[in-house]
Amino acid sequence: METDLIFRKGKFTASECYKLMGERGGITTQTAQTYILEKAAETLYDKEWIDTSSDSVATRWGKELEPDASMYYELAYKVTVEKPNPQCAEWSDEVSGSPDGLVYPDGNKVYGIEIKSPYNPTNHLSYMLMRSAADLKKTKKEYYWQVLCYMLIFGLDYYEFVSYDPRYSGANRMFVLPIKRKDVSDDIDKLKETLLQAVEEKHRILKMINN
């Protein structure tokens, strides 16, 4: 937990980077500016800073089911899933993330998975209707940008968005949407550029405070 906090304090994270990716205005949107200010403020906190955000019922539900979902995925696809430590991007130590799992299939390249266990079972069904990365972007843009950010940070060419709901029967308990880097390369480039702009803006704010 402490390591995770270190890798999130004052850093732009994969789980929240969607706040920078508004359809209009880039980092000039109110949401983006507020997020950048939050990261600047965290940088100024002392070493005893802790994450005070409260978990909702839905968030706790997802966290509690994540180990079961990971095990289910391993059994279904006969692979090994490992939970990696948080990591910063090579191109910026102020961008970080920790995927739900890295998969090591025999004889193939490592890839990542992002596991969601929706509290509302209707959401699981809506995910099952998705057929492409573009559908994920349209249905749940925060998850779309989260996956792309992990691909950026860990240098992955392939990722899977996984939805798991044990209340469904049989194979419908788990839905897997494959995402190939070549299909989202333009958005990955856009995300990296925007993150670097956010880092620059954060430093501009801190410089104003320190002068």
Side-chain angles (χ1 to χ4, degrees):
M1 180 64 175
E2 182 178 354
T3 300
D4 188 41
L5 288 175
I6 291 173
F7 273 86
R8 285 190 290 131
K9 179 177 179 286
K11 303 180 189 299
F12 298 97
T13 61
S15 61
E16 294 189 312
C17 71
Y18 72 92
K19 296 177 181 179
L20 301 170
M21 305 306 296
E23 295 301 321
R24 300 178 182 177
I27 66 167
T28 65
T29 65
Q30 185 61 54
T31 299
Q33 286 293 304
T34 299
Y35 182 45
I36 293 170
L37 283 172
E38 289 173 357
K39 297 294 110 178
E42 288 175 10
T43 303
L44 298 173
Y45 293 171
D46 65 25
K47 63 181 180 181
E48 296 180 354
W49 172 86
I50 60 172
D51 184 6
T52 58
S53 61
S54 58
D55 287 346
S56 65
V57 173
T59 300
R60 290 196 298 271
W61 169 273
K63 288 181 178 179
E64 290 172 0
L65 283 178
E66 186 178 319
D68 291 342
S70 182
M71 185 180 300
Y72 188 96
Y73 184 95
E74 286 185 321
L75 293 172
Y77 294 96
K78 296 178 174 58
V79 293
T80 299
V81 177
E82 294 185 3
K83 176 70 175 178
N85 291 324
Q87 180 173 308
C88 289
E90 289 185 0
W91 38 271
S92 176
D93 62 2
E94 297 189 54
V95 176
S96 69
S98 177
D100 288 334
L102 293 179
V103 183
Y104 296 85
D106 292 338
N108 293 309
K109 293 179 65 176
V110 60
Y111 65 91
I113 58 172
E114 181 59 29
I115 299 171
K116 302 298 181 185
S117 295
Y119 183 68
N120 184 339
T122 305
N123 290 338
H124 181 68
L125 179 57
S126 70
Y127 298 151
M128 292 171 68
L129 297 174
M130 298 188 302
R131 294 296 178 266
S132 67
D135 290 338
L136 176 59
K137 185 179 182 181
K138 182 178 179 180
T139 304
K140 204 73 172 175
K141 71 174 186 177
E142 53 263 51
Y143 296 163
Y144 173 80
W145 291 114
Q146 183 179 18
V147 166
L148 266 57
C149 196
Y150 288 139
M151 295 176 83
L152 254 177
I153 294 172
F154 285 79
L156 301 174
D157 294 325
Y158 179 74
Y159 223 93
E160 289 183 349
F161 173 81
V162 179
S163 182
Y164 175 74
D165 192 332
R167 294 167 294 192
Y168 280 69
S169 61
N172 288 328
R173 289 180 179 176
M174 179 166 282
F175 169 75
V176 175
L177 179 71
I179 299 175
K180 299 177 181 178
R181 191 183 186 104
K182 66 182 181 65
D183 294 332
V184 294
S185 59
D186 288 346
D187 272 350
I188 284 181
D189 291 341
K190 179 181 177 182
L191 176 60
K192 182 178 179 180
E193 179 183 358
T194 303
L195 283 164
L196 289 172
Q197 289 173 354
V199 169
E200 183 178 353
E201 176 66 7
K202 187 188 103 171
H203 281 284
R204 185 189 71 81
I205 292 169
L206 293 173
K207 185 176 180 181
M208 290 176 63
I209 295 297
N210 293 325
N211 282 347

